[in-house]
Amino acid sequence: MATTSPPGVGLLKGLGVTIKQMFKPAVTQQYPHVKPDLPPRTRGVIALMDENCTVCMLCSRECPDWCIYIDSHKETVPPAKEGGRARTRNVLDRFAIDFALCMYCGICVEVCPFDALFWSPEFEYSEYDIDKLLHEKGKLREWMDTVPPPPALDEGADAPGEVATAIEKANQELEAAKAKAAEEARAKEQGEQAPAAGDAAAAAPAEPEVKAGEIDQETFDRLIAEGKSERIARSKAKAAYVKKEKQRLKEQAEQQAAAAPAAEEPKVEAGEIDQETFDQLIAEGKSERMARAKAKAAYVKKQKAKLRAEAEQAGGGDAVEAPAAEGSGEAAAGEAAPSAAPRKADIEVEGAGEIDQETYDALIASGKSERIARSKAKAAWVRKKKQEQMDAEGDA
Amino acid sequence: MSIAEMANAAAGLAQFSPAPSLLEIGDSFWLSAVLKIAVVLAVFFVVPLVVGYMEHKVMGHQQARLGPMEAGPHGSLQLVADGIKFIQKEDLIPSAADKWVFAIAPGVAMVPAILIFLVLPLGPGIWGVDFELGLFYALAVGSVTTLGILMGGWASANKFSLIGGLRAAAQLIAYELPLILAGIAVALQAGTLSLVGIVEAQSTFFIPGTEINLWYLFPQILGFGIFFIAAMAELARPPFDMPIADSELVFGYMTEYTGIKYAMYMLTEYAGMVSMSALMVVLYLGGWQLLPGVPMPGCGGSGNIFDCNALGVGLGVAVTLGKIMLLTFLMVWARTTYPRLREDQLQRFSWLVLVPLSLLNLAIIAVAKGVF
């Protein structure tokens, strides 16, 4: 019993520990009153994006508890182009997850190759009746609204392909609209200014894209003169060209931005919510989480609509041209309409099983195998049938 | 205080005249009795609930929890809700139990706990009776509770209950001794066993040769420590809760009790905390006196703490209740801090530490009283 401190000190230290703890904040979470702040990857409930489901059955087969029930039927899709084969497609009839069996391993979400299953942090779906824990397709689709957006990309990361394409397209449209507006403005001032200057300025914004294939001749020549290999000189010259072009485009954009300060950024921030929708959903008795998710979606939708309207307004700056173009488009469509005969792809021929005897015989005679002859003859039969139908319609 | 005065005070024992209670209504014995009973019962049922709530909250926060939060604002009505729940519960009696003894045991434990409040002075004039043998009465009546616990442990026909009851009996006998010895030292210094008299004696006790008023806490700090520890053991409060010892004995002598009978045992425990704390306030902390040497506003008489007006009475009661809450807080604090002792450690601590120390304390006080 060799202790360094005198007897009784430990008892006082103990009292010190408890009294200090008393004035520290408690760690208790007042759960039903204050909802927990769950991490975004919380495994609360599994949501189904049924539009994405191809009934591949991977989830159902991988499920260790066998708690995913899928029913489907097949539909025939006519060939996309003439001479194509009719395809069959699986159509989802029933998708149900029995959360009374589910052990929240997440394998189904993991294996889904088509982004149809997601984790949602929503967890308040306990029931008094075990049958009600079987969530059918509709309910699983509703959980989709509570799925948080994917985590933000790292700083400087490439935008996802589809997003990048959309942004680029929007940028191009905006640039074009701006260029048009600038041209109009210049056209008005043309009487005062020299036409050559106007042409040069107008020609510049015509190519807003940087083509990577070209090389900067100046750099290339210089590098060759320095004794670099042709290969290196070419690649460096290419880079130099892209850099220069970008610099030029940036300057140009800055000039235009200075000319048209009203032009808005076409980006939509996803983090905000639409208060109106949120209030309405809360009033309808939806959970706060669901209301927030839906309100976010509503906000993004509204913002997009606004941006589109603004873009149209910007386009409206050249009030003379835009409606004319639309009108001509309509006129063209009107002209095309009467002559537009029904395409073969649009016609459905029932009964793909039959064969065209004539084709079959000819193929057999030419030494093809029975199998190939049969399939080709089938195709020929379908083609013929279609032709017949089209002819009949044409006569009518 | 001179020896002559002390001798006079000692002589006063012989011709004791009880201090008048404010709870007397004229000369009517029955009306006075009804009022006193009402006040005692009100204190008995309300103050332990407040202490219980304080314990819930203090224990909660000392364990990084919040404690009760749902019933009433910040869970303040939790114990009321618990009481209603206990009343609704089925009153189970084990088939092998000694039914009569089983049924009356909680009452035997609870009634003495009520009776103690009769003599406890809660403020100037706020006491039921000023007995000449007040301290003796309080300690004696309090010991009867032991009988109720032993009866409950025996009558339950359950081994856990029996062991709990026997542990309680052994523990209460062991700690009764240092408790009483520490109390005797106070009575010796005060020269009276009347609880009101002890409060008065503290308000007129000065350090010999000076004008500095002191409570008995200071000369008898050793006695106070012994009394406090022994009181916790008497009440079977953690760390001295071997009679209950959840982890070993389920719930000791209360194992078989349900509903209202269980609630009576629990109320006895919390009322015991209040009455023991009130006793310590009277014996060591100067009763309703605000601070040593500070006269109570609106009061006169001996030590300027008697014959008070309404303000003085209200303040006196508030001061007493505040001191009681402070002492019960200390008990709760000890409960959250220390683990339960072993049964043999408990007995050893009492007989080999507390009893000799309390005898030493008594000897010191006796010698000091003889010297000054």
Side-chain angles (χ1 to χ4, degrees), chain B residues 258-281:
Chain B
T258 57
I260 193 73
K261 288 178 189 152
Y262 173 80
M264 282 164 78
Y265 269 132
M266 290 306 282
L267 190 59
T268 304
E269 180 181 335
Y270 284 87
M273 278 174 78
V274 175
S275 58
M276 275 296 180
S277 298
L279 209 52
M280 280 184 265
V281 169

Side-chain angles (χ1 to χ4, degrees), chain B residues 24-59:
Chain B
E24 305 278 354
I25 301 174
D27 290 333
S28 169
F29 172 78
W30 290 109
L31 277 181
S32 307
V34 167
L35 181 63
K36 286 172 182 174
I37 288 169
V39 169
V40 165
L41 286 182
V43 171
F44 177 78
F45 282 110
V46 173
V47 181
L49 288 191
V50 177
V51 169
Y53 175 63
M54 184 271 288
E55 176 170 44
H56 275 335
K57 287 312 242 187
V58 167
M59 280 182 70

Side-chain angles (χ1 to χ4, degrees), chain A residues 170 173-174 177 264 266 304-318:
Chain A
E173 280 170 12
L174 200 68
E264 288 258 341
K304 280 193 181 159
K306 210 174 87 180
L307 283 172
R308 216 174 296 134
E310 273 171 16
E312 271 168 27
Q313 272 186 357
D318 41 22

